[in-house]
């Protein structure tokens, strides 16, 4: 019987939470912690194609909420897992409600709190359910503070700062040449391009980019989504459509090359729960420009590991890009300090993440709930 039960939205897809879940499973596998995983949105076919660690048993439900809820209930009522890790607050009341039918449970119940899903609207039912959780693993200090503001009175000892980390798979990825033409000089963003993701700040970067006096610099936006046409129209309106490039279908191996070659990685997002993409950029030597907002401030410290600007401030983004272009000493300091976060004993290395997993999920630290 696996020692940990993980109940999550999705594992094998792109996105920050999905990357967190994969890193979690990789760390647990390396530690010898076997996990049973119930994933709402992964399909059975996707699981068969990607789940290669036989220490874990991953079940995907293809978005079928009824089957998923029934499987969660069975595992909680009849399983003998020492740890139950809820990967999204949307599943909290279901899990706590089922566990109320098993009052003598011996499992430690934990919730992972990523970001926007817990920053507002927790409500009375979820607040009551949080009182039944043994540990709340918050990926950033901002997320921990937002929960505390909505549900005052929770014991401080229930909160654990549990940041994401650079996945170990990046170290094993062999860089590949980018087969499509790439400008000699460019700044870079990597993100989803959906209307609901406009808080990522790509529109702000386009406007700031249009103000640069250096017309030799281009802007590469790696990602796809329904908002691409809106952003293309915006680039045309600002007169830089010929220098703003939307790139789809980029492999991790190709992305490494783009990180290494870009003059700056720019993503002034206003709602990052953590910002795993900043760690990726830092690992491959890209100076980072981010917004001074939410979970990003745990990673991007202004003038030390990157440049932090006010969210939505077009002029500040423009000046940050120009500052990096003009100051080679600053660029190298940011590169070195950023790299220190994700190498050796840095706080966001895979090894540090594995130690955090061991502290929470390891059998020797188990305290019966």
């Amino acid at each position: 019987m696996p020692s940990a039960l993980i109940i999550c939205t999705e594992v094998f897809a792109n996105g920050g939470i999905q990357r967190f879940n994969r890193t979690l499973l990789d760390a647990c596998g390396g530690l010898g912690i076997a996990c049973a995983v119930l994933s709402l949105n992964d399909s059975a076919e996707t699981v068969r194609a990607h789940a290669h660690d036989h220490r874990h048993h991953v079940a995907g439900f293809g978005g079928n909420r009824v089957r998923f809820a029934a499987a969660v209930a069975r595992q909680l009522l009849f399983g003998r897992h020492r740890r139950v890790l809820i990967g999204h607050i949307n599943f909290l009341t279901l899990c706590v409600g089922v566990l109320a039918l098993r009052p003598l449970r011996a499992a430690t119940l934990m919730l992972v709190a990523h970001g926007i899903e817990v920053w507002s609207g927790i409500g009375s039912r979820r607040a009551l359910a949080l009182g039944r959780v043994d540990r709340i693993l918050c990926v950033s200090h901002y997320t921990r503070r937002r929960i505390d503001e909505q549900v005052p009175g929770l014991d401080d000892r229930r909160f654990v700062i549990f940041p994401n980390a650079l996945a170990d798979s990046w170290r094993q990825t062999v860089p590949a040449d980018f087969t499509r033409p790439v400008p000699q000089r460019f700044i870079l963003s990597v993100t989803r391009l959906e209307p609901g993701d406009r808080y990522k700040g790509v529109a702000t970067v386009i406007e700031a980019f249009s103000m640069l006096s250096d017309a030799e610099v281009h802007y590469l936006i790696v990602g796809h989504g329904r908002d691409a046409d809106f952003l293309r129209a915006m680039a045309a309106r600002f007169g830089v459509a010929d220098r703003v490039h939307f790139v789809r279908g980029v492999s991790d191996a190709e992305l490494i090359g783009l990180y290494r070659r870009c003059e700056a990685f720019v993503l002034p997002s206003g709602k990052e729960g953590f910002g795993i993409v900043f760690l990726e950029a830092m690992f491959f030597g890209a100076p980072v420009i981010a917004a001074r907002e939410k979970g990003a401030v745990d990673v991007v410290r202004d003038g030390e590991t990157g440049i932090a600007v006010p969210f939505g401030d077009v002029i500040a983004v423009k000046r940050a890009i120009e500052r990096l272009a003009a100051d080679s000493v600053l660029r190298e300091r940011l590169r070195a300090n950023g790299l220190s976060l994700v190498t050796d004993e840095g706080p966001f290395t895979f090894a540090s993440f594995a130690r955090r997993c061991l502290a929470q999920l390891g059998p020797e630290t188990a305290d019966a709930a």
Side-chain angles (χ1 to χ4, degrees):
M1 171 67 67
S3 60
L5 172 65
I6 298 176
I7 301 164
C8 64
T9 53
E10 198 169 26
V11 179
F12 304 110
N14 290 325
I17 291 179
Q18 292 87 342
R19 283 186 183 263
F20 177 95
N21 291 337
R22 291 197 296 276
T23 304
L24 178 70
L25 291 181
D26 287 346
C28 288
L31 294 167
I33 301 171
C35 300
V37 183
L38 303 179
S39 171
L40 171 61
N41 292 321
D42 282 307
S43 67
E45 293 76 14
T46 300
V47 170
R48 282 194 294 269
H50 293 92
H52 304 302
D53 192 331
H54 299 296
R55 284 166 291 197
H56 306 316
H57 179 268
V58 183
F61 295 86
N64 189 315
R65 295 180 178 274
V66 174
R67 290 179 52 241
F68 174 76
V72 169
R74 283 195 301 272
Q75 288 283 355
L76 293 177
L77 288 174
F78 306 113
R80 295 179 177 273
H81 309 288
R82 297 175 65 104
R83 299 284 186 275
V84 175
L85 185 67
I86 304 170
H88 198 286
I89 196 169
N90 285 353
F91 308 142
L92 177 61
T93 53
L94 167 65
C95 294
V96 169
V98 171
L99 286 172
L101 302 176
R102 187 183 171 184
L104 300 179
R105 66 183 175 93
T108 299
L109 184 63
M110 291 175 277
L111 170 72
V112 181
H114 290 280
I116 195 169
E117 82 281 6
V118 296
W119 289 345
S120 63
I122 285 181
S124 58
R125 290 181 61 198
R126 287 178 175 176
L128 183 63
L130 279 170
R132 304 295 182 91
V133 173
D134 299 293
R135 297 172 200 160
I136 306 170
L137 311 184
C138 302
V139 301
S140 70
H141 289 84
Y142 179 82
T143 291
R144 186 243 189 271
R145 186 166 67 251
R146 287 298 298 126
I147 295 173
D148 201 32
E149 289 170 355
Q150 294 175 83
V151 193
L154 288 174
D155 192 328
D156 286 346
R157 291 171 295 182
R158 296 191 185 194
F159 289 97
V160 177
I161 301 301
F162 199 93
N164 207 335
L166 187 75
D168 206 37
S169 59
W170 282 107
R171 299 176 183 275
Q172 304 160 15
T173 303
V174 178
D177 292 333
F178 203 71
T179 57
R180 286 161 278 185
V182 177
Q184 185 174 359
R185 297 176 57 209
F186 61 91
I187 61 173
L188 175 70
S189 294
V190 179
T191 184
R192 291 186 305 268
L193 303 177
E194 295 292 341
D197 292 321
R198 290 184 183 176
Y199 64 82
K200 296 285 187 179
V202 173
T204 300
V205 180
I206 291 174
E207 185 174 356
F209 176 77
S210 72
M211 298 177 180
L212 298 179
S213 59
D214 189 346
E216 293 184 1
V217 180
H218 290 242
Y219 180 26
L220 266 61
I221 303 169
V222 174
H224 60 88
R226 294 170 296 165
D227 219 30
D229 288 342
F230 165 80
L231 294 169
R232 285 192 183 94
M234 186 176 183
R237 187 166 69 251
F238 284 110
V240 289
D242 59 330
R243 294 192 293 128
V244 176
H245 311 276
F246 294 82
V247 187
R248 298 183 57 172
V250 177
S251 68
D252 285 349
E254 292 174 320
L255 185 56
I256 290 172
L258 296 180
Y259 280 136
R260 286 177 171 171
R261 291 180 56 186
C262 72
E263 296 195 355
F265 177 82
V266 190
L267 195 70
S269 171
K271 296 182 181 179
E272 291 302 304
F274 178 77
I276 184 66
V277 71
F278 298 131
L279 301 185
E280 295 171 3
M282 289 172 179
F283 185 72
F284 296 109
V288 169
I289 299 172
R292 193 182 297 114
E293 287 283 338
K294 314 299 190 291
V297 300
D298 284 9
V299 180
V300 184
R301 298 189 291 272
D302 187 39
E304 184 178 344
T305 61
I307 296 180
V309 299
F311 174 67
D313 191 329
V314 174
I315 300 302
V317 172
K318 169 185 175 287
R319 289 173 177 168
I321 296 169
E322 292 174 334
R323 184 180 170 198
L324 280 176
D327 192 338
S328 60
V329 174
L330 174 63
R331 288 198 306 272
E332 293 310 310
R333 183 173 77 245
L334 298 186
R335 284 191 177 108
N337 290 342
L339 188 61
S340 72
L341 297 179
V342 289
T343 56
D344 300 324
E345 295 302 312
F348 306 127
T349 62
F350 181 77
S352 295
F353 185 85
R355 286 192 290 271
R356 291 191 284 273
C357 289
L358 181 63
Q360 302 304 321
L361 297 170
E364 69 277 8
T365 61
D367 294 322

